[in-house]
Amino acid sequence: MKCLLLVLSVALSAQPTLHSPPLAHVLDGEGRLTAIYGLAGNFIHGRPGPALLAYANDGDIEWRLEPGRLSATRDGRTAVYATVATSATFHGEFAVLPESKETLRLVGESLVDSSDETPSQLAGRAARWQAGKLRIFQRDGSEDEIDCPQEPDAMSAASADWAFVSINRRPYLLRLTHGRVQLFVLPQRSRE
Amino acid sequence: MKTLACLLLALPLAAQIQVFTLQTGLPVAAGPSVNLGTAAAGDIFEVRFRAVNSGSAPLALSTVTVSGAAFSLAAPFLPITLAPAQSHDFSVRFAPSAPGSYSAILSVNTFSTLLRAAAVLGPALFITNGTQTVELNTSSLQVNLATGQVLTLALSAGNSYSTPLTLDSLSLSGDGFALVSPPAFPLTLAPGETVPVPVRVTGVAEGESAAVLTVGPRRFTLYALVFRPQLAAPRIITGDAPRNGQQLTVRLQLAQPAVGPGSGLLRAVFSGADDPAIVFPNGAREIRFDVAAGSRDATFNGAPETVLQTGTTAGTLRLEAVTETGVTTETFRFDRAAVVVDSASARRNGSNLEIDINGFDNTREVGSLNFRFFDRGGNPIGGVITTTPAELFKNYFAQSGLGGVFGMRAVFPVTGDATIVGSVLVEIANSVGRTDLQRLLFP
C-alpha cells in the first residue's frame, strides 16, 4: 500500500508530451532518403535527405549504401565498409552486395565477411509471396496473409513495423504488425 | 508603225485552247479520241477535263459541249474568258443504263475529241449493320469515327443478276483504309451470291479522308470524317464509405463505352483546415485518368482504380471527375468525431512508466486524458489521473503540419516500485466525445 501511494503521488504530476516521429524511412523515386510521417494510409513525406544507393532500417540497424561506402548503425554506433557496390539488399544484420557476391555481417561495431546463410528477414520477420498472397511470418511464429496479386519487385525494412515494397515499380508501405498486416499505397512526395 | 501593226495582228493568233484529261490526276493532253474506260451499267462515272489558254493573249472560252447517249456535262457551262496560262476545269459524266459501247463528241471552242467508254454488268455492294443489310445505291459512303477508333465496315459484293458475274479485281486506296482478309480475285459470283469484302477504317488524324474501293468495274468512294472524341463525365464510384484516416479507392465509369480514347482529371477539393495528407498516389490533389476506345472504365496510370488519402481532418471532401464535356461530383462529409487511436503501447523505462499513443483527432481539440492504473492482479491503484492538455494539443496541431495526427507520450516518473503496476486504462476526450483505449499491459 505504501508503494502504491508512492506511485500515485508521482504519477499525478505527470504531463504528456506530443511528438511526430516518422513511421518509416524510405528512398523516394529519386533515391533520396525520406522520412514518412502520418498514420497508416495517411502518409506525409518529410523533406528529402541525401541520395543513397540502397537503404533499410528495421528499427534496430540502419543500413546505408552510398557511393564508396556501406554503413550500418546500431545503438548510435556506425560501422563502415569501403565498397564500389551500387546495389545491396539487407536482411537483419546481413548485407548482400550482389555485384561482388559479398555477404557482410554486422558484428559488434564491425562489418565482417560472412559465409553464413542469409536469413530472409524483413524487420525481424520473414515474408514470402506465392500465388497472389503475401505471407508474413512474425517473430513469435504467428503468420499473417494478405492478398497481393503481383509479386513484389523488392522489399526492404523501413522501420520496426513497416516495410517498403515495390510492386510493378510502384511504391507501397506494408504494415508488418501482427493482426494488422496491410499494404498501403505510398503517394509520391507532394509537388511544392 | 509597221511593227505595231504586225504585233496587233499577231495577238489574236497567239490565243489558243488546249484540252487535257485528268483521269490519272495528272493532266494528259487529249488527242483525237479519249478512252474513258469501263463503268458498271447503272453507275455514274465522271472524268475531269481541263481547258488551258496556252496562248499569250486572253481567250474567250465560249463553247464546252458533249453530245452522245449516256454522256453529259456534270455542271452547266457558262462562257468565260481565260487569261494567258489560265485554265478551266469541267467534268464529263458517263451514266450508262445498260451494258454496251458508248461514244460522244466533246467540243471545247474549236477543239473536239471523240470520247469512248464501255459499260458492263457490275456487282451490287451491300453493307451490313447488325442484322440489317442494305444495298449502297450511291457510289459513295461516309463514316464518322473518332481519332484512334477503328471501325470495320461489313461490306459485301453480290450478283443481283440472273447470270454469273465475273469480277476481275478488288482494290482499295486511301490512308486509314484497309481491306480485311480480302477474297482471291478474279472470282465468279453465281446469281444471288455475295462475297464479304470488309474494310477497316482507322481514325488516324482529325479531319476528312477518303479512299476508292474498286470492285470489278465499280468504284465506290469511302469518306471518313474523323473527329476528336469528347469524353462524357464519368460516374464516381468509391470502394468504402468514405471516412477520415483511410485510403479511399476510387473508380470512374462511363454510362456508355467511349467512342474513342479520352482523358480527364479526377480532382479532390477539401473544405476544412489544411491537411497535406489528402493526396492521390501522384502526391497531388488531382490525377489524370484515361479511357480507352470502347471501354466504360477509366484507368489511372494503367490501373483500374486509384486511391485517395482522406486525411485526418473534419471537413467536406468533394471529388470532381472533369472531362471537356462536363463534371460529375461526389461529396462526402467527414463529421467531427471522437479521437481515433491507431496504436498504443505501455512500457517501463527505468523507473518511469511510459504510455505511447498514436492516432488522430479530426477536431484538433483534444481536451482531457484520463489514466487509471491497475496492479498485476487487476486491482485499481488509486483513482483516475486526469490531465487537461488542451493548450498543449492546440499548439501542437498549429505547427505539426500533419493534419489531425498526433503522437503522444505520457511519462509517469515513479520513485517507488514500478513493477507492481500491471496495466493502465486510458481515455481521451475531445469536444465530440470520449475514446476508451483497450487495456494496455506493462510487459
Side-chain angles (χ1 to χ4, degrees):
Chain A
M1 188 62 194
K2 191 177 178 182
C3 291
L4 298 181
L5 289 174
L6 184 59
V7 167
L8 286 175
S9 66
V10 177
L12 281 168
S13 64
Q15 281 290 322
T17 57
L18 293 167
H19 57 134
S20 307
L23 284 181
H25 285 87
V26 301
L27 296 186
D28 68 10
E30 296 163 352
R32 294 193 291 180
L33 183 60
T34 305
I36 304 297
Y37 295 91
L39 288 175
N42 270 260
F43 305 117
I44 300 169
H45 288 253
R47 292 194 176 280
L52 303 177
L53 297 168
Y55 179 83
N57 184 348
D58 62 8
D60 179 32
I61 303 171
E62 182 190 59
W63 289 97
R64 294 183 183 216
L65 179 65
E66 303 166 70
R69 58 176 260 164
L70 171 71
S71 65
T73 302
R74 179 160 55 187
D75 296 330
R77 292 189 293 272
T78 300
V80 176
Y81 180 79
T83 177
V84 295
T86 59
S87 65
T89 56
F90 306 109
H91 313 272
E93 57 193 15
F94 292 87
V96 177
L97 307 178
E99 293 150 318
S100 56
K101 297 180 180 173
E102 289 176 282
T103 298
L104 299 164
R105 183 174 189 177
L106 178 63
V107 179
E109 295 180 31
S110 302
L111 287 169
V112 297
D113 282 328
S114 172
S115 57
D116 295 342
E117 187 177 346
T118 307
S120 174
Q121 274 200 29
L122 189 67
R125 291 90 164 172
R128 189 172 70 198
W129 182 90
Q130 191 172 31
K133 301 283 185 185
L134 186 61
R135 297 179 76 183
I136 305 298
F137 301 87
Q138 303 285 353
R139 295 183 186 92
D140 62 1
S142 60
E143 295 179 20
D144 293 276
E145 183 178 89
I146 59 168
D147 289 333
C148 183
Q150 284 188 279
E151 185 174 11
D153 314 322
M155 292 194 280
S156 58
S159 70
D161 289 314
W162 290 88
F164 176 77
V165 179
S166 172
I167 301 174
N168 201 16
R169 286 191 273 182
R170 290 179 179 152
Y172 295 82
L173 277 179
L174 174 66
R175 188 175 207 163
L176 296 167
T177 312
H178 174 51
R180 305 181 71 186
V181 170
Q182 192 175 349
L183 197 61
F184 296 92
V185 173
L186 176 61
Q188 296 173 15
R189 187 172 55 247
S190 298
R191 285 162 283 182
E192 295 170 357
Chain B
M1 187 61 192
K2 201 174 194 176
T3 306
L4 182 60
C6 289
L7 277 174
L8 288 172
L9 286 171
L11 279 174
L13 295 173
Q16 53 184 310
I17 195 78
Q18 269 197 304
V19 178
F20 299 86
T21 71
L22 300 171
Q23 280 175 294
T24 61
L26 295 173
V28 175
S33 71
V34 176
N35 188 350
L36 302 187
T38 302
D43 270 0
I44 296 173
F45 175 48
E46 291 184 359
V47 176
R48 283 175 64 214
F49 287 84
R50 176 169 294 168
V52 179
N53 177 3
S54 57
S56 55
L59 170 69
L61 184 61
S62 56
T63 306
V64 176
T65 60
V66 61
S67 59
F71 291 89
S72 63
L73 287 177
F77 170 74
L78 294 174
I80 56 171
T81 299
L82 298 178
Q86 191 182 1
S87 63
H88 170 72
D89 286 2
F90 60 93
S91 294
V92 171
R93 179 173 292 168
F94 177 52
S97 58
S101 296
Y102 292 80
S103 63
I105 299 295
L106 171 65
S107 299
V108 181
N109 282 6
T110 57
F111 172 86
S112 64
T113 183
L114 176 68
L115 303 180
R116 291 185 290 112
V120 295
L121 291 178
L125 194 66
F126 301 95
I127 184 163
T128 301
N129 187 5
T131 57
Q132 193 176 19
T133 298
V134 295
E135 183 177 354
L136 295 176
N137 292 318
T138 61
S139 58
S140 66
L141 174 68
Q142 177 174 315
V143 293
N144 298 340
L145 73 167
T147 51
Q149 190 180 6
V150 178
L151 287 179
T152 298
L153 304 177
L155 299 175
S156 55
N159 180 1
S160 304
Y161 304 103
S162 57
T163 56
L165 183 64
T166 297
L167 304 177
D168 57 357
S169 64
L170 172 71
S171 65
L172 180 67
S173 62
D175 289 342
F177 295 81
L179 289 164
V180 182
S181 305
F185 275 72
L187 62 79
T188 300
L189 293 174
E193 185 184 2
T194 60
V195 59
V197 285
V199 171
R200 186 172 58 234
V201 189
T202 304
V204 179
E206 200 176 339
E208 291 180 0
S209 58
V212 175
L213 173 67
T214 303
V215 187
R218 298 200 68 181
R219 274 176 284 191
F220 296 88
T221 304
L222 306 178
Y223 295 100
L225 179 60
V226 183
F227 59 90
R228 187 168 55 86
Q230 293 190 306
L231 203 63
R235 187 162 64 102
I236 299 168
I237 303 166
T238 55
D240 305 298
R243 62 183 190 281
N244 274 133
Q246 66 173 162
Q247 290 196 336
L248 180 69
T249 58
V250 184
R251 292 190 299 120
L252 299 177
Q253 193 173 66
L254 296 171
Q256 302 291 333
V259 173
S263 63
L265 285 177
L266 177 62
R267 186 178 294 149
V269 181
F270 185 68
S271 302
D274 184 40
D275 191 328
I278 301 175
V279 291
F280 290 107
N282 62 355
R285 288 195 179 175
E286 63 179 33
I287 189 168
R288 176 192 163 109
F289 63 84
D290 297 284
V291 181
S295 175
R296 289 178 63 197
D297 299 308
T299 57
F300 301 86
N301 198 18
E305 62 186 24
T306 189
V307 297
L308 173 70
Q309 296 192 154
T310 55
T312 52
T313 305
T316 302
L317 175 68
R318 189 172 75 249
L319 291 178
E320 300 176 344
V322 185
T323 66
E324 58 187 344
T325 62
V327 181
T328 53
T329 63
E330 285 287 341
T331 302
F332 309 105
R333 206 175 71 185
F334 299 147
D335 290 329
R336 293 159 58 84
V339 170
V340 174
V341 172
D342 181 63
S343 63
S345 61
R347 63 173 183 164
R348 292 185 187 82
N349 186 4
S351 60
N352 291 339
L353 299 176
E354 294 182 353
I355 299 165
D356 286 326
I357 299 171
N358 294 298
F360 69 88
D361 173 14
N362 78 355
T363 70
R364 306 187 189 180
E365 292 173 354
V366 170
S368 66
L369 289 159
N370 294 337
F371 299 90
R372 190 168 188 186
F373 292 91
F374 298 83
D375 65 19
R376 292 184 176 276
N379 304 305
I381 305 173
V384 175
I385 301 170
T386 299
T387 63
T388 53
E391 198 64 24
L392 182 70
F393 271 88
K394 183 179 174 184
N395 293 335
Y396 166 80
F397 284 129
Q399 55 81 41
S400 78
L402 299 177
V405 172
F406 67 85
M408 186 196 74
R409 173 167 292 176
V411 180
F412 295 82
V414 177
T415 54
D417 182 7
T419 61
I420 67 165
V421 182
S423 63
V424 62
L425 285 177
V426 184
E427 301 164 358
I428 307 177
N430 64 10
S431 58
V432 177
R434 195 182 76 185
T435 300
D436 297 342
L437 276 66
Q438 286 189 328
R439 184 183 295 264
L440 303 177
L441 302 177
F442 289 95

